[in-house]
Amino acid sequence: MKIRGVVEALNEREVKLGGKWYGIYTEEIPKPKEGMEVEIETKRGMIRKLNVIKTMPEISPAERPRILEGFTELVETVWGDLYITVNTLEGKPFEILVRIAESDRGIGDTCGTIGRLVSLALRSGIGVKSILEELQGIDKSSPNGVAASIPGAVAQILIRNFVDEHGKEPEDLVYFEDCPNCNKEGALVLQGGCSTCHSCGFTDCY
């Protein structure tokens, strides 16, 4: 029996097509990837042969225009003053430049790498929400209201300026941290440019 469709999911021993799982008969059968269009030959629910009809399109980052509008914000971190420049295209973030004021070469290289990778994701059409989910998961600590994580500082700037057109953060995009006052885990949230604890009421905007 021949079946043609797009791979919806897969694991080590099965492939899902059309809402149904099919077992892989032998290790010699090539393993497809999610999103690929394939044709399989099955017998008793097992894939005996698999041909890739269409592979996933390659993602190419958009070319950078010669002139972009943008802004630069200063963020205080445990590494020193961090300057984050966000260049935009049609009102959306297109490029991130991260520079530390005074630090060793290793931290400077890290800043440059973070900026280039976030820029590559933005230029490739990755949504801000997806980028924030990755940046926020690296380091959520904030001793004395000072950012301990360079990726976290970049996330704060993106949240503050691009979460929605009103500058307010939806519940699934707020920047949770541990409160430096009561030490409650995940109680500190960025709202309106201020970090506020939902447990003890601490805020860094006095």
Side-chain angles (χ1 to χ4, degrees):
M1 179 179 181
K2 290 185 178 182
I3 301 171
R4 183 168 176 170
V6 175
V7 177
E8 301 168 9
L10 70 159
N11 54 42
E12 291 296 321
R13 298 182 179 180
E14 296 175 301
V15 175
K16 187 177 183 181
L17 291 174
K20 184 177 179 180
W21 288 94
Y22 298 91
I24 299 175
Y25 183 67
T26 68
E27 294 183 356
E28 284 72 28
I29 294 175
K31 297 286 181 64
K33 295 181 180 180
E34 289 187 23
M36 283 185 173
E37 185 177 352
V38 300
E39 183 179 76
I40 60 175
E41 292 185 13
T42 66
K43 184 176 181 180
R44 296 180 181 177
M46 299 293 292
I47 298 175
R48 301 285 177 148
K49 187 176 180 180
L50 185 149
N51 295 317
V52 175
I53 305 300
K54 186 177 182 181
T55 60
M56 296 179 291
E58 182 179 352
I59 297 176
S60 298
E63 292 187 9
R64 186 191 189 281
R66 292 186 62 185
I67 299 176
L68 290 171
E69 294 184 352
F71 60 88
T72 300
E73 291 197 24
L74 170 63
V75 181
E76 186 181 358
T77 75
V78 295
W79 307 103
D81 290 340
L82 188 70
Y83 296 89
I84 300 175
T85 298
V86 183
N87 291 326
T88 62
L89 183 64
E90 298 179 351
K92 297 181 180 180
F94 185 83
E95 178 181 71
I96 303 286
L97 305 174
V98 185
R99 181 174 63 86
I100 199 80
E102 294 182 9
S103 186
D104 58 40
R105 181 174 178 179
I107 299 300
D109 289 346
T110 298
C111 291
T113 300
I114 292 170
R116 293 179 69 173
L117 290 176
V118 173
S119 297
L120 179 63
L122 291 170
R123 291 169 54 202
S124 299
I126 306 299
V128 173
K129 179 180 177 179
S130 298
I131 294 172
L132 287 173
E133 289 174 350
E134 299 300 323
L135 293 176
Q136 291 177 243
I138 295 175
D139 189 340
K140 298 180 181 180
S141 60
S142 181
N144 301 320
V146 178
S149 165
I150 294 171
V154 173
Q156 289 184 36
I157 299 301
L158 290 174
I159 289 172
R160 190 177 304 151
N161 294 280
F162 299 104
V163 166
D164 70 17
E165 60 182 359
H166 304 294
K168 298 178 181 179
E169 309 84 34
E171 289 300 318
D172 60 340
L173 285 180
V174 291
Y175 185 65
F176 290 103
E177 300 176 335
D178 299 342
C179 178
N181 185 56
C182 67
N183 296 319
K184 185 174 179 62
E185 184 177 354
L188 206 66
V189 62
L190 183 68
Q191 292 180 322
C194 300
S195 294
T196 303
C197 179
H198 283 192
S199 177
C200 69
F202 166 83
T203 180
D204 61 3
C205 285
Y206 288 132

